[in-house]
Amino acid sequence: MKKHIAFFVAPYQGHVNPLLPMVADLVGRGHRITCVAAPQFVEPLVAAGARAVEYASVWPANRSVPAEMTAEEMAKGPLQILRENIAVANAAERELAADLPDLVVYDTLLNFAGRALAEKWQRRAAQFIPLLASNEHFSVLQAVASEFPPIDPQHPALLEFGAQLGEFRAGHGLSAPGPEDFLAASEGLNLVCVGREFQPAADTFDARYVFVGPSLADPAERAPWSPPDSGAPVLLVALGTLFNERPDFYRACREAFADQPWHVVMAVGDHVDPADLGPLPPNVEVHRRVPQLAVLEHARVFVTHGGIRSAMESLSAGTPMVAVAQSVELDFTARRVAELGLGVRIARQEVTPEALRAAVRTAAEDPEIQRRVAAMSESVRAGGGAARAVDAIEAYAERV
């Protein structure tokens, strides 16, 4: 039976991109899809076949996140996330109350809105997790909590968060917030865009968690890219969309690989002018953005910020990494890459041209890294990606 499925979409490129092939596949199978999304993501979602409901995001679009966060910024984070959830819920209720979906699929960052409206509408919900999954046994934030600035639990922003969450649920006729509203939420179906073998404490996640690995666009639909005629090995350098205002890092990469036997493809994003990086050697090309999947298919090594989607894309392509985390939580992924022997980690504070050269050489030449990356690549791709996620959504929608 064909279903009406509503997706609550978080306003981040790395969260939207894996949804696009899933939405397109669901539409192709005859389902009606509504996506509640920030304005900058409406166009690709509509192109995938969804009906889009816009909401006014409280997160600034196209920003670059600083490497360090103060205790004050950390304390305000939960309240800002809640306000984003409230904006999503308001738009969803306005547009969908008279056309209720059969199933709500919410991004893990929008769990307040997703859980509340599913409960109010008496509909079941599924959770979409484009990050490492968390449960009572493992949480990235708990794992790195000691590295964040200490936060006063009586900080006014945290108290306001608790009060507004209670008001939000009460305003929808729901009970007061429970532990599941503050800890890792879990649904009857939780789609995780990570390979199971990469997930820490994987054996503690039950059958409700489906580790599909990266949800990637069909190869025929990806932007093309061809390696240089020189035959030099390709080195991709990219820091994602949220952590890329790092001109000093790009300059260090330029210096590290000038006149080296590499062809360097560097993506610097919208916050750094390529001209500000100085004269480029002939073996280094710099762009604001590149077709990452297509470049990774040819890359010998990937220098990355440690984003989980970038890591999964790299592993899917069988490319070892040099992980230079650009925030505390990303450093967990970087450490995981090193722990599993999938590449080399460099602490952000320890980046030098010499360190970059040595790490890239190790990632490219170490036979054990090559072996482990090949094995993990096979495991990650075996997750099934978008097609398996859609199969799971269809089966779940039929059950509920």
Side-chain angles (χ1 to χ4, degrees):
M1 182 183 297
K2 305 310 177 187
K3 303 292 185 180
H4 178 201
I5 303 172
F7 284 83
F8 292 1
V9 183
Y12 303 105
Q13 199 74 51
H15 291 233
V16 175
N17 286 345
L19 280 180
L20 297 177
M22 294 166 53
V23 168
D25 194 351
L26 284 164
V27 171
R29 299 187 192 194
H31 301 288
R32 188 159 57 96
I33 307 300
T34 300
C35 292
V36 184
Q40 66 268 31
F41 297 113
V42 163
E43 183 177 347
L45 289 164
V46 170
R51 173 203 173 200
V53 170
E54 289 189 25
Y55 76 92
S57 174
V58 303
W59 290 95
N62 195 29
R63 75 195 191 287
S64 182
V65 178
E68 306 290 346
M69 294 189 68
T70 65
E72 183 72 12
E73 291 168 326
M74 292 286 296
K76 292 178 178 178
L79 182 58
Q80 188 170 24
I81 290 173
L82 175 59
R83 287 172 175 165
E84 188 79 9
N85 275 259
I86 292 172
V88 168
N90 289 342
E93 183 140 63
R94 182 184 67 245
E95 297 294 333
L96 295 176
D99 181 23
L100 292 181
D102 299 298
L103 176 68
V104 174
V105 182
Y106 63 83
D107 187 286
T108 190
L109 297 182
L110 299 178
N111 68 299
F112 300 125
R115 293 173 65 86
L117 290 191
E119 183 180 347
K120 181 177 183 178
W121 293 339
Q122 297 184 326
R123 296 294 193 268
R124 294 293 293 276
Q127 184 176 199
F128 172 67
I129 308 175
L131 309 165
L132 291 170
S134 296
N135 61 9
E136 63 272 24
H137 301 282
F138 169 77
S139 164
V140 171
L141 291 181
Q142 290 178 358
V144 301
S146 62
E147 300 181 45
F148 286 112
I151 303 173
D152 178 4
Q154 296 301 309
H155 190 286
L158 291 178
L159 299 178
E160 180 66 15
F161 162 72
Q164 285 198 19
L165 179 57
E167 292 172 5
F168 168 65
R169 289 187 57 83
H172 288 284
L174 305 175
S175 60
E180 68 278 1
D181 290 295
F182 298 95
L183 304 175
S186 179
E187 300 293 348
L189 173 64
N190 305 274
L191 296 167
V192 189
C193 292
V194 173
R196 175 175 280 277
E197 291 188 17
F198 193 89
Q199 169 70 45
D203 59 348
T204 68
F205 291 86
D206 59 32
R208 296 172 299 166
Y209 290 83
V210 181
F211 291 87
V212 302
S215 172
L216 306 177
D218 187 282
E221 300 176 1
R222 299 176 192 170
W225 186 85
S226 298
D229 294 335
S230 66
V234 173
L235 172 65
L236 174 61
V237 178
L239 299 182
T241 57
L242 288 179
F243 301 89
N244 53 30
E245 194 172 358
R246 308 291 193 268
D248 290 344
F249 174 81
Y250 301 126
R251 292 188 192 102
C253 289
R254 179 204 63 193
E255 181 179 344
F257 302 106
D259 304 321
Q260 294 290 308
W262 288 94
H263 182 80
V264 181
V265 179
M266 199 181 310
V268 299
D270 295 328
H271 303 284
V272 173
D273 186 343
D276 291 341
L277 302 184
L280 297 177
N283 66 319
V284 177
E285 57 177 279
V286 176
H287 309 274
R288 292 201 179 276
R289 55 189 60 81
V290 299
Q292 183 162 295
L293 289 172
V295 179
L296 280 171
E297 290 176 357
H298 300 279
R300 184 85 175 272
V301 177
F302 180 20
V303 177
T304 173
H305 64 304
I308 192 64
R309 178 169 172 81
S310 288
M312 289 301 107
E313 290 181 353
S314 191
L315 291 173
S316 180
T319 305
M321 289 166 275
V322 171
V324 187
Q326 298 299 305
S327 68
V328 170
E329 64 273 23
L330 292 179
D331 197 38
F332 187 91
T333 304
R335 292 176 188 275
R336 186 69 172 160
V337 166
E339 173 190 353
L340 295 174
L342 305 172
V344 180
R345 168 188 173 267
I346 304 178
R348 188 180 68 255
Q349 301 85 349
E350 298 172 3
V351 170
T352 63
E354 295 75 19
L356 286 165
R357 276 196 300 272
V360 166
R361 186 183 309 113
T362 298
E365 298 177 359
D366 188 310
E368 183 63 14
I369 289 177
Q370 302 301 317
R371 184 189 68 78
R372 288 174 178 257
V373 168
M376 185 65 78
S377 179
E378 184 176 345
S379 172
V380 163
R381 287 185 277 110
R388 186 180 176 205
V390 169
D391 288 343
I393 289 172
E394 281 194 319
Y396 185 63
E398 285 298 325
R399 291 203 308 272
V400 301

